[in-house]
Amino acid sequence: MVQFATRMNNLKGSAIRELLALANKPEIISFAGGMPAPELFPVDKVRAAADAVLTEEGRIALQYTSTDGWPRLREQIAERMGVKNKIKTDAAHILMTSGSQQGLDYSARVFLNPGDVVLMESPSYLGAINAFKTCEPTFIDIPTDKDGMIMEELEKVLKTTKNVKMIYVIPDFQNPSGRTWPLERRQKFMEIINKYEIPVIEDNPYGELRYEGDFLPALKSMDTKGLVVFLGTFSKILAPGYRLGWVCADDEILQKYNFMAQAAALQASTIGMMEVSKFIDMFDLDEHVNTIRECYARRCKLMVDTMEKTFPKEVTFTRPKGGLFTWAELPEYIDTKEMAKQALAQNVAYVPGEGFFPNGGNHHCMRLNYSNMPDDRIVKGITILADVIKQNLR
Amino acid sequence: MVQFATRMNNLKGSAIRELLALANKPEIISFAGGMPAPELFPVDKVRAAADAVLTEEGRIALQYTSTDGWPRLREQIAERMGVKNKIKTDAAHILMTSGSQQGLDYSARVFLNPGDVVLMESPSYLGAINAFKTCEPTFIDIPTDKDGMIMEELEKVLKTTKNVKMIYVIPDFQNPSGRTWPLERRQKFMEIINKYEIPVIEDNPYGELRYEGDFLPALKSMDTKGLVVFLGTFSKILAPGYRLGWVCADDEILQKYNFMAQAAALQASTIGMMEVSKFIDMFDLDEHVNTIRECYARRCKLMVDTMEKTFPKEVTFTRPKGGLFTWAELPEYIDTKEMAKQALAQNVAYVPGEGFFPNGGNHHCMRLNYSNMPDDRIVKGITILADVIKQNLR
């Protein structure tokens, strides 16, 4: 009888990945994944960048490189973070990862012993919960309002809870809720953090995808004590197929991530990092991001407008100003996991809300993605979903 | 004061990665890393494969894919394992990883609780020891002779040790010793394993790089109880820059690896997997492997011949029939870590043996890599190293 480690008891297939497997059929209108619009991928430019890398530096691209990652790319990222997130940093404070998910995994392993407490928004990103579970922590999810995590609730928990070792937040266009923390809340959060000196994982995959309003500085830009670990990724602004993300942190913490990376993976893909770096040198990444923003802004509006028109009044949902998701709350007696089967039978997929709560419950919520489907299928899918919901009303 | 998880106490920078950083200067003759010869990388063919993928299926290559990885590539791997390793398997029993190091990391996390016992060869691969340490196990290294792990010693330990949860072995051209287990020893090992029913991690990065003698079947090919997890990689037969490896295991175990992959990384690089798959479809990977084998066979012979000519008689070393490394044992009073500084001062790098023993000791050994340096530098570097050793003799 083969025995598995106790951490494996916490892991099961992620609801998203299972749904994605089902939702892979072309007839399915999928609001389930967090996938970019494939028709917007700058394929020709990527091909030109790949060709340039392999023509000019092929023997370097196919070889091992350092654990922290391709130096030129880390420079470009540091520069970009200065402009986009107001974070003053440099290449020496960036470690490349194989996707942001790996940054989440390293975060848990750097900070968490079994039983240690992690704080997060309620709801929070399912993939982060899953990554953290491998370290067997205790989760406390902090209540949120339309502006994200409620600071009074956070402080209440910090005052009364021992062994809080990490706080995980997504202040920009949160997954799954689509909510964004205003400036004042960010400042208040940093005040509290500086008082309690707890490491913060600031996950920022969507910050550049703002559709209205002003860009806000990252928590990391206000970090005077080296407590904030910033996670970035190319998955939403360029292409998830490369699996390239990064960790930005101060010296002491980043060294631990580097040790973890040496143990867990050695390094991210050399050829991948060099191609993305070459893309940024050859082309205008901002221009590409603008194309994405324009398309997703339209799809976002189309989805929530259609929801307003077709969903019964018992359903509430967010109107995101950026990112990839809206979050809907149905009457509490509706189990969205059960309802997902009915929706799938009519070729519409979404992610039930339950998985976004680390301690379960909240069976009446759902996450809807608007980036991956063309306009007509958004309208059609939401209209079908509205009917499915109505059939479940008491 | 930021607190880190206790597992971080076990991790420090790997001796290899630190040496590689130093050994990166062009004037250094490096026998330190396990890097392929960059001049043999099939750069033009890789460029053609990359171009074909981005021309034909660019929008798929840049998108997310399933956790187990690109289906066509897994088919190709399964077919290849049938021919090369005599393992009967299929795509459904293969999970792609971001390099074999990730397979080692997942292995530890699937099987090991803190304090559980891992058995391995003495010496064994430094990177595996480092990966396993994140799970805080107890290591027992089993004595070896010229034919690898000694089966009587293994059985002695299994008879008397509780909580053995995993056995890690490299039966083909072991890193660091260069030794290979003969067929009879493989059969005996499987007999013992079947009796005690302990999961085995069979790490096989070098199996295809045989320079003389007959290819031997993998342990996995003799696995009747689903106990063996086979780890493969493209790093040594194609290019490490892609960071692509794989896990082959039976259903129950592979599902656990899949759950771990969902939590830790989501998936390997889509574009990377598709390019390697396209390479295999467009070109003859065997022909490329033959080119590598021819070159490394020559370099291996050149290195050990030069060692025979120049090293003092007090030094013993292996004559590998494949793989990337030879292993030298010096008089016990010589500390190869101290001596490495003297060698580096003369622009020669190697890896001190200490790191290959999970419980330390054995300061008098060294690992020498012959794949990465051209012929003339091998002769020059070994000659310098011989002088450094002589200066350390009493």
Side-chain angles (χ1 to χ4, degrees), chain A residues 101-130:
Chain A
Q101 188 72 21
Q102 194 171 58
L104 295 170
D105 179 51
Y106 291 172
S107 298
R109 297 165 82 187
V110 163
F111 293 114
L112 301 179
N113 288 323
D116 282 348
V117 177
V118 186
L119 308 186
M120 45 173 48
E121 292 150 298
S122 179
S124 187
Y125 172 48
L126 183 157
I129 296 170
N130 206 26

mmCIF file of all heavy atoms in Angstrom, chain A residues 101-130:
data_model
loop_
_atom_site.group_PDB
_atom_site.id
_atom_site.type_symbol
_atom_site.label_atom_id
_atom_site.label_comp_id
_atom_site.label_asym_id
_atom_site.label_seq_id
_atom_site.Cartn_x
_atom_site.Cartn_y
_atom_site.Cartn_z
ATOM 1 N N GLN A 101 1.469 31.374 -10.649
ATOM 2 C CA GLN A 101 1.066 30.289 -9.750
ATOM 3 C C GLN A 101 2.283 29.757 -8.990
ATOM 4 O O GLN A 101 2.182 29.439 -7.809
ATOM 5 C CB GLN A 101 0.407 29.153 -10.551
ATOM 6 C CG GLN A 101 -0.214 28.056 -9.696
ATOM 7 C CD GLN A 101 -1.491 28.489 -8.993
ATOM 8 O OE1 GLN A 101 -2.147 29.436 -9.403
ATOM 9 N NE2 GLN A 101 -1.851 27.816 -7.918
ATOM 10 N N GLN A 102 3.409 29.691 -9.653
ATOM 11 C CA GLN A 102 4.632 29.251 -8.975
ATOM 12 C C GLN A 102 5.053 30.255 -7.899
ATOM 13 O O GLN A 102 5.552 29.868 -6.841
ATOM 14 C CB GLN A 102 5.770 29.052 -9.987
ATOM 15 C CG GLN A 102 6.940 28.290 -9.418
ATOM 16 C CD GLN A 102 7.957 27.927 -10.489
ATOM 17 O OE1 GLN A 102 8.498 28.772 -11.186
ATOM 18 N NE2 GLN A 102 8.218 26.648 -10.644
ATOM 19 N N GLY A 103 4.806 31.539 -8.159
ATOM 20 C CA GLY A 103 5.072 32.554 -7.132
ATOM 21 C C GLY A 103 4.185 32.350 -5.907
ATOM 22 O O GLY A 103 4.620 32.536 -4.765
ATOM 23 N N LEU A 104 2.943 31.956 -6.135
ATOM 24 C CA LEU A 104 2.029 31.663 -5.023
ATOM 25 C C LEU A 104 2.520 30.446 -4.242
ATOM 26 O O LEU A 104 2.527 30.436 -3.005
ATOM 27 C CB LEU A 104 0.619 31.398 -5.555
ATOM 28 C CG LEU A 104 -0.070 32.589 -6.223
ATOM 29 C CD1 LEU A 104 -1.361 32.138 -6.925
ATOM 30 C CD2 LEU A 104 -0.382 33.672 -5.198
ATOM 31 N N ASP A 105 2.940 29.432 -4.974
ATOM 32 C CA ASP A 105 3.451 28.217 -4.346
ATOM 33 C C ASP A 105 4.682 28.528 -3.502
ATOM 34 O O ASP A 105 4.767 28.120 -2.333
ATOM 35 C CB ASP A 105 3.790 27.205 -5.449
ATOM 36 C CG ASP A 105 4.362 25.904 -4.902
ATOM 37 O OD1 ASP A 105 3.732 25.335 -3.991
ATOM 38 O OD2 ASP A 105 5.419 25.469 -5.367
ATOM 39 N N TYR A 106 5.619 29.269 -4.066
ATOM 40 C CA TYR A 106 6.824 29.625 -3.307
ATOM 41 C C TYR A 106 6.461 30.451 -2.072
ATOM 42 O O TYR A 106 7.063 30.290 -1.007
ATOM 43 C CB TYR A 106 7.800 30.432 -4.170
ATOM 44 C CG TYR A 106 8.456 29.665 -5.300
ATOM 45 C CD1 TYR A 106 9.235 30.325 -6.239
ATOM 46 C CD2 TYR A 106 8.303 28.287 -5.435
ATOM 47 C CE1 TYR A 106 9.851 29.642 -7.281
ATOM 48 C CE2 TYR A 106 8.904 27.600 -6.475
ATOM 49 C CZ TYR A 106 9.684 28.291 -7.402
ATOM 50 O OH TYR A 106 10.292 27.622 -8.435
ATOM 51 N N SER A 107 5.502 31.347 -2.207
ATOM 52 C CA SER A 107 5.107 32.203 -1.082
ATOM 53 C C SER A 107 4.686 31.359 0.111
ATOM 54 O O SER A 107 5.142 31.566 1.243
ATOM 55 C CB SER A 107 3.956 33.127 -1.501
ATOM 56 O OG SER A 107 4.378 33.986 -2.542
ATOM 57 N N ALA A 108 3.795 30.415 -0.161
ATOM 58 C CA ALA A 108 3.331 29.555 0.925
ATOM 59 C C ALA A 108 4.506 28.809 1.557
ATOM 60 O O ALA A 108 4.637 28.738 2.784
ATOM 61 C CB ALA A 108 2.300 28.559 0.395
ATOM 62 N N ARG A 109 5.382 28.289 0.732
ATOM 63 C CA ARG A 109 6.469 27.445 1.247
ATOM 64 C C ARG A 109 7.536 28.255 1.981
ATOM 65 O O ARG A 109 8.226 27.728 2.846
ATOM 66 C CB ARG A 109 7.069 26.637 0.098
ATOM 67 C CG ARG A 109 6.029 25.695 -0.482
ATOM 68 C CD ARG A 109 6.461 25.152 -1.821
ATOM 69 N NE ARG A 109 7.363 24.036 -1.659
ATOM 70 C CZ ARG A 109 8.000 23.463 -2.677
ATOM 71 N NH1 ARG A 109 7.852 23.932 -3.902
ATOM 72 N NH2 ARG A 109 8.786 22.433 -2.477
ATOM 73 N N VAL A 110 7.686 29.524 1.606
ATOM 74 C CA VAL A 110 8.656 30.373 2.295
ATOM 75 C C VAL A 110 8.139 30.772 3.680
ATOM 76 O O VAL A 110 8.901 30.848 4.634
ATOM 77 C CB VAL A 110 8.975 31.627 1.448
ATOM 78 C CG1 VAL A 110 9.645 32.717 2.283
ATOM 79 C CG2 VAL A 110 9.867 31.260 0.267
ATOM 80 N N PHE A 111 6.818 30.979 3.808
ATOM 81 C CA PHE A 111 6.304 31.579 5.040
ATOM 82 C C PHE A 111 5.506 30.648 5.955
ATOM 83 O O PHE A 111 5.344 30.953 7.136
ATOM 84 C CB PHE A 111 5.426 32.790 4.701
ATOM 85 C CG PHE A 111 6.182 33.941 4.106
ATOM 86 C CD1 PHE A 111 5.979 34.346 2.798
ATOM 87 C CD2 PHE A 111 7.122 34.630 4.871
ATOM 88 C CE1 PHE A 111 6.696 35.411 2.249
ATOM 89 C CE2 PHE A 111 7.841 35.696 4.332
ATOM 90 C CZ PHE A 111 7.635 36.085 3.024
ATOM 91 N N LEU A 112 4.965 29.545 5.432
ATOM 92 C CA LEU A 112 3.941 28.830 6.204
ATOM 93 C C LEU A 112 4.351 27.467 6.731
ATOM 94 O O LEU A 112 4.693 26.559 5.961
ATOM 95 C CB LEU A 112 2.687 28.638 5.345
ATOM 96 C CG LEU A 112 2.016 29.904 4.808
ATOM 97 C CD1 LEU A 112 0.806 29.516 3.960
ATOM 98 C CD2 LEU A 112 1.607 30.831 5.946
ATOM 99 N N ASN A 113 4.262 27.301 8.044
ATOM 100 C CA ASN A 113 4.282 25.979 8.660
ATOM 101 C C ASN A 113 2.851 25.460 8.776
ATOM 102 O O ASN A 113 1.907 26.255 8.774
ATOM 103 C CB ASN A 113 4.892 26.047 10.065
ATOM 104 C CG ASN A 113 6.388 26.273 10.028
ATOM 105 O OD1 ASN A 113 7.081 25.750 9.173
ATOM 106 N ND2 ASN A 113 6.881 27.067 10.972
ATOM 107 N N PRO A 114 2.675 24.138 8.885
ATOM 108 C CA PRO A 114 1.323 23.623 9.094
ATOM 109 C C PRO A 114 0.666 24.310 10.296
ATOM 110 O O PRO A 114 1.310 24.491 11.330
ATOM 111 C CB PRO A 114 1.547 22.128 9.358
ATOM 112 C CG PRO A 114 2.825 21.816 8.651
ATOM 113 C CD PRO A 114 3.675 23.048 8.804
ATOM 114 N N GLY A 115 -0.594 24.708 10.136
ATOM 115 C CA GLY A 115 -1.310 25.345 11.233
ATOM 116 C C GLY A 115 -1.141 26.854 11.308
ATOM 117 O O GLY A 115 -1.942 27.531 11.965
ATOM 118 N N ASP A 116 -0.135 27.416 10.666
ATOM 119 C CA ASP A 116 0.010 28.873 10.631
ATOM 120 C C ASP A 116 -1.202 29.503 9.949
ATOM 121 O O ASP A 116 -1.868 28.866 9.130
ATOM 122 C CB ASP A 116 1.270 29.268 9.844
ATOM 123 C CG ASP A 116 2.549 29.101 10.659
ATOM 124 O OD1 ASP A 116 2.454 28.898 11.884
ATOM 125 O OD2 ASP A 116 3.636 29.178 10.060
ATOM 126 N N VAL A 117 -1.442 30.755 10.269
ATOM 127 C CA VAL A 117 -2.641 31.423 9.758
ATOM 128 C C VAL A 117 -2.313 32.299 8.546
ATOM 129 O O VAL A 117 -1.347 33.064 8.567
ATOM 130 C CB VAL A 117 -3.291 32.275 10.858
ATOM 131 C CG1 VAL A 117 -4.496 33.036 10.315
ATOM 132 C CG2 VAL A 117 -3.710 31.390 12.032
ATOM 133 N N VAL A 118 -3.101 32.154 7.503
ATOM 134 C CA VAL A 118 -3.057 33.034 6.336
ATOM 135 C C VAL A 118 -4.340 33.843 6.310
ATOM 136 O O VAL A 118 -5.430 33.280 6.435
ATOM 137 C CB VAL A 118 -3.052 32.239 5.011
ATOM 138 C CG1 VAL A 118 -2.847 33.182 3.822
ATOM 139 C CG2 VAL A 118 -2.019 31.164 5.021
ATOM 140 N N LEU A 119 -4.209 35.139 6.117
ATOM 141 C CA LEU A 119 -5.391 35.984 5.928
ATOM 142 C C LEU A 119 -5.554 36.286 4.441
ATOM 143 O O LEU A 119 -4.576 36.453 3.726
ATOM 144 C CB LEU A 119 -5.237 37.296 6.697
ATOM 145 C CG LEU A 119 -4.870 37.180 8.179
ATOM 146 C CD1 LEU A 119 -4.893 38.570 8.825
ATOM 147 C CD2 LEU A 119 -5.819 36.245 8.900
ATOM 148 N N MET A 120 -6.796 36.382 4.007
ATOM 149 C CA MET A 120 -7.066 36.735 2.611
ATOM 150 C C MET A 120 -8.430 37.392 2.505
ATOM 151 O O MET A 120 -9.189 37.404 3.478
ATOM 152 C CB MET A 120 -6.995 35.504 1.714
ATOM 153 C CG MET A 120 -7.701 34.263 2.254
ATOM 154 S SD MET A 120 -7.770 32.895 1.058
ATOM 155 C CE MET A 120 -6.098 32.803 0.475
ATOM 156 N N GLU A 121 -8.708 37.972 1.348
ATOM 157 C CA GLU A 121 -10.026 38.554 1.129
ATOM 158 C C GLU A 121 -11.070 37.441 1.034
ATOM 159 O O GLU A 121 -10.769 36.314 0.663
ATOM 160 C CB GLU A 121 -10.010 39.366 -0.179
ATOM 161 C CG GLU A 121 -9.146 40.611 -0.117
ATOM 162 C CD GLU A 121 -8.548 40.978 -1.462
ATOM 163 O OE1 GLU A 121 -7.773 40.154 -2.011
ATOM 164 O OE2 GLU A 121 -8.855 42.077 -1.962
ATOM 165 N N SER A 122 -12.299 37.785 1.331
ATOM 166 C CA SER A 122 -13.413 36.844 1.225
ATOM 167 C C SER A 122 -14.403 37.376 0.194
ATOM 168 O O SER A 122 -15.054 38.387 0.466
ATOM 169 C CB SER A 122 -14.109 36.711 2.583
ATOM 170 O OG SER A 122 -15.185 35.829 2.498
ATOM 171 N N PRO A 123 -14.484 36.789 -0.970
ATOM 172 C CA PRO A 123 -13.768 35.627 -1.505
ATOM 173 C C PRO A 123 -12.362 35.987 -1.969
ATOM 174 O O PRO A 123 -12.015 37.154 -2.022
ATOM 175 C CB PRO A 123 -14.633 35.254 -2.717
ATOM 176 C CG PRO A 123 -15.151 36.564 -3.217
ATOM 177 C CD PRO A 123 -15.400 37.377 -1.981
ATOM 178 N N SER A 124 -11.567 34.937 -2.297
ATOM 179 C CA SER A 124 -10.233 35.160 -2.853
ATOM 180 C C SER A 124 -9.952 34.143 -3.962
ATOM 181 O O SER A 124 -10.758 33.249 -4.224
ATOM 182 C CB SER A 124 -9.176 35.056 -1.749
ATOM 183 O OG SER A 124 -7.901 35.421 -2.246
ATOM 184 N N TYR A 125 -8.795 34.291 -4.598
ATOM 185 C CA TYR A 125 -8.470 33.480 -5.765
ATOM 186 C C TYR A 125 -8.313 31.998 -5.408
ATOM 187 O O TYR A 125 -7.496 31.616 -4.584
ATOM 188 C CB TYR A 125 -7.198 34.026 -6.427
ATOM 189 C CG TYR A 125 -6.626 33.169 -7.533
ATOM 190 C CD1 TYR A 125 -7.439 32.667 -8.554
ATOM 191 C CD2 TYR A 125 -5.271 32.859 -7.579
ATOM 192 C CE1 TYR A 125 -6.913 31.885 -9.569
ATOM 193 C CE2 TYR A 125 -4.729 32.088 -8.598
ATOM 194 C CZ TYR A 125 -5.553 31.595 -9.586
ATOM 195 O OH TYR A 125 -5.008 30.822 -10.589
ATOM 196 N N LEU A 126 -9.122 31.199 -6.060
ATOM 197 C CA LEU A 126 -9.151 29.745 -5.882
ATOM 198 C C LEU A 126 -7.772 29.099 -6.062
ATOM 199 O O LEU A 126 -7.380 28.212 -5.294
ATOM 200 C CB LEU A 126 -10.133 29.222 -6.932
ATOM 201 C CG LEU A 126 -10.550 27.792 -7.100
ATOM 202 C CD1 LEU A 126 -11.903 27.764 -7.812
ATOM 203 C CD2 LEU A 126 -9.547 27.027 -7.934
ATOM 204 N N GLY A 127 -7.029 29.557 -7.056
ATOM 205 C CA GLY A 127 -5.702 28.990 -7.325
ATOM 206 C C GLY A 127 -4.724 29.278 -6.203
ATOM 207 O O GLY A 127 -3.835 28.472 -5.922
ATOM 208 N N ALA A 128 -4.875 30.433 -5.563
ATOM 209 C CA ALA A 128 -4.001 30.765 -4.434
ATOM 210 C C ALA A 128 -4.355 29.882 -3.237
ATOM 211 O O ALA A 128 -3.472 29.344 -2.564
ATOM 212 C CB ALA A 128 -4.131 32.232 -4.072
ATOM 213 N N ILE A 129 -5.641 29.733 -2.988
ATOM 214 C CA ILE A 129 -6.078 28.859 -1.883
ATOM 215 C C ILE A 129 -5.509 27.466 -2.076
ATOM 216 O O ILE A 129 -4.952 26.856 -1.158
ATOM 217 C CB ILE A 129 -7.625 28.816 -1.813
ATOM 218 C CG1 ILE A 129 -8.179 30.205 -1.478
ATOM 219 C CG2 ILE A 129 -8.097 27.772 -0.808
ATOM 220 C CD1 ILE A 129 -9.691 30.322 -1.618
ATOM 221 N N ASN A 130 -5.603 26.973 -3.298
ATOM 222 C CA ASN A 130 -5.111 25.633 -3.627
ATOM 223 C C ASN A 130 -3.600 25.541 -3.435
ATOM 224 O O ASN A 130 -3.089 24.565 -2.863
ATOM 225 C CB ASN A 130 -5.498 25.320 -5.083
ATOM 226 C CG ASN A 130 -5.629 23.837 -5.361
ATOM 227 O OD1 ASN A 130 -5.907 23.059 -4.454
ATOM 228 N ND2 ASN A 130 -5.424 23.456 -6.601
#
